[in-house]
Amino acid sequence: MHEAAEEPESKASFRDLGSQGVQRLPSVLRVRVRRLWLSLVPIAQCAIAAGLAWFVAFDLLHHARPFFAPIAAVVSLGLSLARRWRRSAELIVGVSIGILVGDLVVTQIGSGAWQITVVVAAAMALAVFVDGGPMLPTQAASSAVLIATLLPPGGAASYQRAVDALVGGCIGLLVGALVPVNPARRARRDAAGILNTLRDLSHDLAEALRARDEDAVYRVLAAARGTQPAVDGLRADILAGREVGTLSPLYWASRDRLRKIAATADPIDNAVRNFRVVTRRALGLTQRGVAVEEPMIDIIEDIGGLFETLRAMMLAEPGQPPDPADAAREVRSVVRRARTSLADHVEDLSEAALLVELRSLLVDLLMVAGLKRSSAIAQLHLNK
């Protein structure tokens, strides 16, 4: 789960100084700066691809007004790193369908308001028939409208427009391969961010249970429910990383590392869901005035420490601790303390159910640390 080589000390120090400067900004501005920072490479890719697409279509192929080429390049890349192959294919096919339908229909019935209605309906219907992708009908309709309103149908221009779309889509993929985003770094950062949030929420939940503060437990639950976009982002970046690892020779060596990161996506997702279940169970106990036993609260506190260890594991440089074996060792130590015997003397069955949910969460954490599900469950059976 590490980068291929350690970063130079000066580069890391510069990045740390920049990070500290961003942290001092107001929260609203900090979010925007972070969003821009994460988008800089995709923006650069789109800009380079658009310029190259125009150069090839206009200067090399001598097409008049080849605006489809840079548009296709930008749309095929976009700011989202996932499914670029799919977007490029949908764009090229959609533009071709729109041009074909627009040329045929406008040549026969002319242009005007009702003709546009016919052209859009026909182009979108054919696109939906060809494929169910979301971009295909939109691109087909847009291209058909351009033919019906601004561009003369028929002749070499129609052929050139289809070629321009092909040029733009292919250049977009080429630029994505030659100016890539590191396929492992973003996914590692996503995973670490989720684990960091769960660490803080675990500590907050333990404090709320000790204080028997119903409102504080509810705030933890609300925050846990808000983590789903981060989980979705992790999955999207893993998918994007796989595409980069396939397309870019620069990162072919990263495929195995990315595969290991991808293996943590389901356990992290399950850990988030199980943590929500734990928090809902804790909320129910607090609402009924049940005081959760201190050993149980200690387990929740310890789980917060495990989330921190797993977060550090995700971000650790090559050869630096903690590695997956270190993380698994720490999780096992908490598993040994989370024995079912903790619930032998509880008065409320929901408190026993809380322990069951905590043990299920520990299975997820063992899997994040690299164990298979069967091995993780076996660890629980060894420590009943």
Side-chain angles (χ1 to χ4, degrees), residues 14 43 83 95 98 117 123 142 149 176 187 195 200 211 218 220 225 244 256-257 264 293-294 297 320 326 370 376:
F14 177 79
I43 288 171
R83 301 186 183 279
V95 168
T117 302
S142 301
T149 56
L195 295 167
D200 294 342
Y218 184 81
V220 172
R225 286 171 172 165
V244 172
D256 183 63
R257 183 165 63 252
T264 68
E293 297 290 333
E294 187 63 28
I297 298 177
Q320 297 297 315
D326 296 328

Side-chain angles (χ1 to χ4, degrees), residues 51-67:
L52 282 176
W54 178 271
F55 173 77
V56 171
F58 184 79
D59 294 281
L60 299 185
L61 300 180
H62 305 293
H63 292 177
R65 296 183 298 172
F67 57 84

